[in-house]
Amino acid sequence: MLPTSRTFEANARAGLANPILQRALALMQSGFPERRRLAVGRLPEFEALREIGKSIKNHTLEHLDFYLELFEGKVLASGGQVHWARTPDEARAAVLQICRSVDAKIVTKGKPMIAEEVGLNECLEENGITPVETDLGEYIIQLRHEPPSHLIAPAIHLMKEQVAATFRADHRALDPERSLAEARQLCDEARAVLRPRFLAADVGITGANFLVAETGSSIIVTNEGNGDLTQTLPRVHIVITSLEKLVPTLEDAATLLRLLARSATGQEFSSYTTVSTGPRRPGDRDGPEQYHVVLLDNGRSTLLGGEFQEMLRCIRCSACMNHCPVYAAVGGHAYGWVYSGPMGAVLTPSLIGIADARHLPNASTFCGQCENVCPVKIPLPKMMRHWREREFSQKLNPPMYRAGLSLWVWVAKRPALYHALVGLASRALGRLGRGRGRFRTLPLASGWTVVRDLPAPEGRSFHSLWVQRRKGETRK
Amino acid sequence: MRVALFVTCLVDFFRPTVGLAAVHLLEKAGCTVEVPRAQTCCGQPAYNSGDRAGAKGIAVQMIDAFEGYDYVVAPSGSCAGMLGRHYPELFTDNPAVLPRAEELAARSWELVSFLVDVCGMQTVAARWQREVTYHDACSGLRELGVKDQPRRLLASVDGLRLREMSGAEVCCGFGGTFCVKYPDISDKMVSDKEADIAATGAEAVLAGDLGCLLNIAGKLHRHNRRIEVRHVAEVLAGMTEEAPPIGAPQ
């Protein structure tokens, strides 16, 4: 998937002008945050858990090399394989080679975000392999050839009417007169269409919410059970994931799971939590014959030890975007790539470069709500600011903006000049705006006045009034 | 208590009445108020635009300007948060300035929380016959924990009744330069805020940060809404007669 983050402004305008998206976002805004609030309220130790979750992730990142090697050893010992992928190319090649080795025709997928990051579906299709998304939301957007617009609800930009139209267009063999008015009917139809594909698949690809070093296990959570069918029915199970999903122990994973569902959907636990450890063992009644973990780096290791390391704590719960007023205004597609909202605004520049993604960390008011709800306390606004610092030092902002800012800083560092200028400007604008109390338009202020009036200054700066008051007092 | 008022650049330029109201309230609370002349702006426009060097230059000047006072108080959660939370972060790599930045941070307060939490103010002697709603500005709320303090003091204003809006804690879409860099997104956010304010039926909206208030007043006036917009300090100081509401004719 080619990023369109560069055209964020136009993408955002399109989102704002899309009435279906706006309806969907309004529903989301009232849904997820309220459910999270209730779930958190029911767990007195939630704040303490956030601190523990943060320290688990910090500890793992401080010793990532150790835990990665431990993990690989445990996977090998349980009969699986680990494929290290430095780049998206290497990750795709690893998956393709495994698929070819078993002559795979159909591959089922359980919503791995890393597959989106490396563009896996396109690669499989080009090589004659049919990928079938099995998460309902992912399935819908696959039929529509759209990228996900949300971490855990990839089709949240759609209403059920669009989904019904998509199903009618694609499920041609079904009765055209059937009713698809209810969400239940859409679920049932997707289930009926997907069931035979689960059975026909040669390879099942999932992501991982957590990798457990002490056991060599991968853990996924779903609410649809599609992940279990994806990873247990086919002969081969591939986990495509990234290296920061690692935690030391099952106990640690259990702690983070207590944070994950509450932060994401406001559930105490997701409907299905599945731990996979290696392929089917002798005597096991089901399970894949092969178990592979494709472990993607894609620049993440370069974040270690730097000002973005804390981003690697992210457990992909989506609380930050669910609570973000900017995301709620423009939707996930505006961000132009796989990850959206505040976590995307920090992660995307590190994966596709700040030159292409410079708008993302700028499109934030730093309202702080994302950091406030993050289950592992990632200081998202601070890291967006760090990206702005990179942008500034690489001179990527518009030249006029830079010039204006430099001039302003220069004046602000000269208090006498500053007070004189502010006094003059305040008088001039105050006199000009006194009649109406506000400006409908003003030269050089169009960014403000295009959407709102500019209140006029009272007409005297505080400092000039204060000097006057002091003089009056000494005279007395 | 010797208190330095940090006026903030927006109050200085747009709304000096807020500064005078702050002085009045601080003096009522028994403080000796001074206004150091060497202050300009806290430096957020540079800091949040990625110009760390520019922000540091301004911050050092501010640290010098506010040396020696018992407290530094600003009628803005955003600017007080800059001094209190972000100045130390600017100098983590500069051991010469860091202790001074941390020392200033520890003395810096947002006005209303200072009045309540430090001065122990319980009530104010003000009268304003209005139904009002209150917007929780982001930095004050989430960086400094300003939430109950303004409500507690407003409850003592004779004639005033508070009607809470839904989404009082949601950002209004100001965000400093954000509102002019992304006017379309800012418009959506401030329009949502406008709807929440209007839904309360309140005659006035108050907040503790002038940036938000200019944004909200600008939007309400664009739609010719007759809802008064004022800084909470003007109301608490009983100075609503001294200046027309924000954006209204003189």
Side-chain angles (χ1 to χ4, degrees):
Chain A
M1 170 185 174
L2 283 176
T4 61
S5 307
R6 206 178 259 278
T7 56
F8 172 81
E9 289 163 300
N11 306 348
R13 275 193 291 274
L16 286 162
N18 178 342
I20 294 163
L21 174 67
Q22 290 300 322
R23 263 169 59 210
L25 289 172
L27 284 177
M28 182 206 87
Q29 220 178 345
S30 58
F32 282 138
E34 178 61 10
R35 286 202 289 274
R36 175 194 176 274
R37 197 181 64 76
L38 294 173
V40 168
R42 285 191 298 264
L43 189 69
E45 68 267 37
F46 190 79
E47 276 311 304
L49 268 182
R50 285 176 78 201
E51 206 49 60
I52 298 168
K54 173 183 169 182
S55 65
I56 290 171
K57 282 292 211 172
N58 278 350
H59 169 84
T60 314
L61 293 169
E62 293 298 333
H63 305 90
L64 192 59
D65 51 347
F66 170 78
Y67 286 116
L68 283 169
E69 285 184 16
L70 181 62
F71 175 75
E72 182 185 35
K74 293 292 178 182
V75 172
L76 289 173
S78 63
Q81 286 183 52
V82 175
H83 308 260
W84 302 89
R86 277 167 299 191
T87 61
D89 279 341
E90 290 184 3
R92 286 192 302 265
V95 173
L96 192 59
Q97 180 262 320
I98 299 164
C99 290
R100 281 186 174 149
S101 72
V102 294
D103 197 21
K105 300 282 185 292
I106 297 179
V107 170
T108 43
K109 289 176 67 210
K111 200 163 99 48
M113 286 303 281
I114 297 300
E116 299 284 344
E117 185 178 324
V118 304
L120 186 64
N121 282 1
E122 294 88 327
C123 165
L124 293 174
E125 282 165 1
E126 281 164 18
N127 288 279
I129 300 166
T130 307
V132 179
E133 296 291 350
T134 62
D135 170 88
L136 179 56
E138 280 286 339
Y139 176 67
I140 293 163
I141 62 169
Q142 187 188 21
L143 294 182
R144 296 172 63 91
H145 307 286
E146 287 175 349
S149 67
H150 189 274
L151 270 181
I152 62 164
I156 198 151
H157 55 287
L158 302 170
M159 303 293 291
K160 60 180 192 289
E161 293 76 24
Q162 285 77 50
V163 179
T166 303
F167 281 8
R168 284 190 200 286
D170 198 81
H171 303 159
R172 295 272 173 86
L174 299 176
D175 175 13
E177 301 300 313
R178 70 195 185 280
S179 168
L180 289 175
E182 301 300 322
R184 181 76 254 166
Q185 294 168 322
L186 296 167
C187 288
D188 288 345
E189 179 161 319
R191 175 172 300 191
V193 172
L194 284 172
R195 193 52 57 119
R197 302 194 196 168
F198 278 122
L199 297 169
D202 307 294
V203 174
I205 302 180
T206 66
N209 291 92
F210 301 102
L211 300 172
V212 182
E214 69 170 351
T215 57
S217 311
S218 56
I219 300 180
I220 58 165
V221 300
T222 72
N223 279 321
E224 300 169 17
N226 61 307
D228 300 70
L229 296 176
T230 301
Q231 65 186 14
T232 50
L233 290 178
R235 280 186 293 147
V236 179
H237 177 200
I238 303 175
V239 180
I240 181 166
T241 186
S242 52
L243 38 85
E244 81 278 22
K245 302 285 163 60
L246 204 60
V247 294
T249 65
L250 270 174
E251 184 77 28
D252 294 329
T255 300
L256 289 163
L257 281 165
R258 298 185 71 198
L259 288 163
L260 178 61
R262 287 182 172 89
S263 301
T265 54
Q267 292 166 286
E268 262 136 40
F269 230 63
S270 303
S271 305
Y272 300 86
T273 299
T274 308
V275 183
S276 294
T277 311
R280 176 196 298 215
R281 295 163 301 187
D284 281 356
R285 295 172 65 175
D286 55 17
E289 291 161 18
Q290 297 180 27
Y291 175 79
H292 299 268
V293 181
V294 176
L295 209 43
L296 178 71
D297 180 354
N298 198 18
R300 286 167 174 79
S301 56
T302 63
L303 304 182
L304 289 169
E307 56 198 355
F308 299 108
Q309 172 168 322
E310 291 180 277
M311 190 60 220
L312 298 177
R313 287 206 297 267
C314 178
I315 58 173
R316 306 292 190 267
C317 71
S318 79
C320 60
M321 58 190 72
N322 295 343
H323 290 77
C324 175
V326 174
Y327 179 96
V330 302
H333 285 160
Y335 294 79
W337 200 52
V338 180
Y339 304 105
S340 56
M343 62 78 66
V346 175
L347 192 59
T348 302
S350 65
L351 299 179
I352 69 169
I354 184 64
D356 275 335
R358 58 169 285 267
H359 279 298
L360 274 43
N362 276 289
S364 162
T365 62
F366 287 159
C367 83
Q369 186 59 344
C370 49
E371 178 174 1
N372 203 29
V373 297
C374 176
V376 286
K377 297 191 170 186
I378 300 173
L380 291 154
K382 175 177 153 183
M383 285 188 289
M384 286 184 232
R385 191 182 294 108
H386 284 324
W387 278 121
R388 297 185 193 184
E389 286 162 3
R390 299 271 178 105
E391 177 198 22
F392 188 84
S393 64
Q394 293 173 31
K395 299 190 166 60
L396 296 169
N397 338 53
M400 277 295 283
Y401 184 78
R402 296 178 66 85
L405 189 65
S406 304
L407 180 65
W408 176 83
V409 169
W410 191 84
V411 175
K413 288 200 289 192
R414 285 156 182 80
L417 174 66
Y418 180 91
H419 291 309
L421 290 175
V422 169
L424 281 174
S426 185
R427 263 180 201 278
L429 267 191
R431 193 162 298 166
L432 212 60
R434 191 176 297 158
R436 292 196 68 218
R438 56 192 186 268
F439 300 97
R440 226 182 146 80
T441 58
L442 198 68
L444 301 176
S446 64
W448 182 281
T449 56
V450 66
V451 298
R452 48 182 113 60
D453 292 356
L454 180 68
E458 284 183 60
R460 291 293 303 276
S461 74
F462 177 86
H463 285 284
S464 70
L465 286 174
W466 189 252
V467 168
Q468 198 176 323
R469 171 168 154 171
R470 282 285 107 117
K471 275 184 190 150
E473 280 172 9
T474 39
R475 235 175 269 138
K476 276 180 227 162
Chain B
M1 273 190 294
R2 225 171 125 240
V3 170
L5 179 69
F6 172 35
V7 182
T8 78
C9 60
L10 289 179
V11 166
D12 184 33
F13 180 74
F14 279 100
R15 193 93 180 151
T17 300
V18 175
L20 297 174
V23 172
H24 176 87
L25 288 164
L26 288 167
E27 287 177 348
K28 278 276 178 207
C31 306
T32 307
V33 183
E34 293 179 40
V35 185
R37 184 82 177 153
Q39 61 174 295
T40 57
C41 165
C42 66
Q44 272 191 89
Y47 183 56
N48 290 338
S49 295
D51 180 5
R52 214 174 157 85
K56 282 181 184 176
I58 294 170
V60 165
Q61 175 177 288
M62 290 281 289
I63 293 168
D64 288 340
F66 288 109
E67 179 117 52
Y69 295 96
D70 295 325
Y71 294 99
V72 179
V73 176
S76 156
S78 170
C79 311
M82 180 67 185
L83 272 59
R85 297 286 179 274
H86 298 284
Y87 274 16
E89 219 162 82
L90 268 177
F91 298 103
T92 44
D93 56 350
N94 186 337
V97 185
L98 182 61
R100 299 185 62 215
E102 284 174 338
E103 195 265 340
L104 171 63
R107 288 184 288 127
S108 297
W109 284 83
E110 180 277 334
L111 173 68
V112 183
S113 52
F114 179 76
L115 292 172
V116 173
D117 299 342
V118 179
C119 304
M121 191 180 267
Q122 304 278 342
T123 57
V124 291
R127 190 182 153 66
W128 206 42
Q129 194 71 38
R130 291 284 190 290
E131 298 215 321
V132 309
T133 191
Y134 193 86
H135 164 67
D136 294 294
C138 296
S139 303
L141 175 70
R142 281 180 275 272
E143 288 187 342
L144 307 175
V146 181
K147 176 76 187 180
D148 296 331
Q149 301 93 328
R151 287 171 173 80
R152 211 178 307 165
L153 294 186
L154 282 172
S156 71
V157 173
D158 190 19
L160 183 145
R161 228 186 99 216
L162 185 67
R163 290 186 177 192
E164 294 285 359
M165 67 174 111
S166 75
E169 297 185 355
V170 177
C171 179
C172 73
F174 172 66
T177 55
F178 169 87
C179 70
V180 292
K181 283 193 289 188
Y182 301 98
D184 307 297
I185 305 173
S186 176
D187 186 29
K188 165 76 171 125
M189 293 163 73
V190 73
S191 297
D192 288 351
K193 183 59 68 179
E194 177 190 6
D196 285 338
I197 292 167
T200 63
E203 300 157 277
V205 54
L206 307 176
D209 249 293
L210 192 55
C212 319
L213 290 165
L214 292 168
N215 184 38
I216 291 168
K219 192 71 208 178
L220 292 172
H221 280 298
R222 177 62 52 103
H223 290 156
N224 297 313
R225 295 226 190 228
R226 296 174 182 278
I227 300 171
E228 277 188 55
V229 183
R230 286 186 183 275
H231 192 286
V232 64
E234 300 169 22
V235 175
L236 295 178
M239 288 171 66
T240 48
E241 297 296 314
E242 325 267 310
I246 296 169
Q250 295 206 353

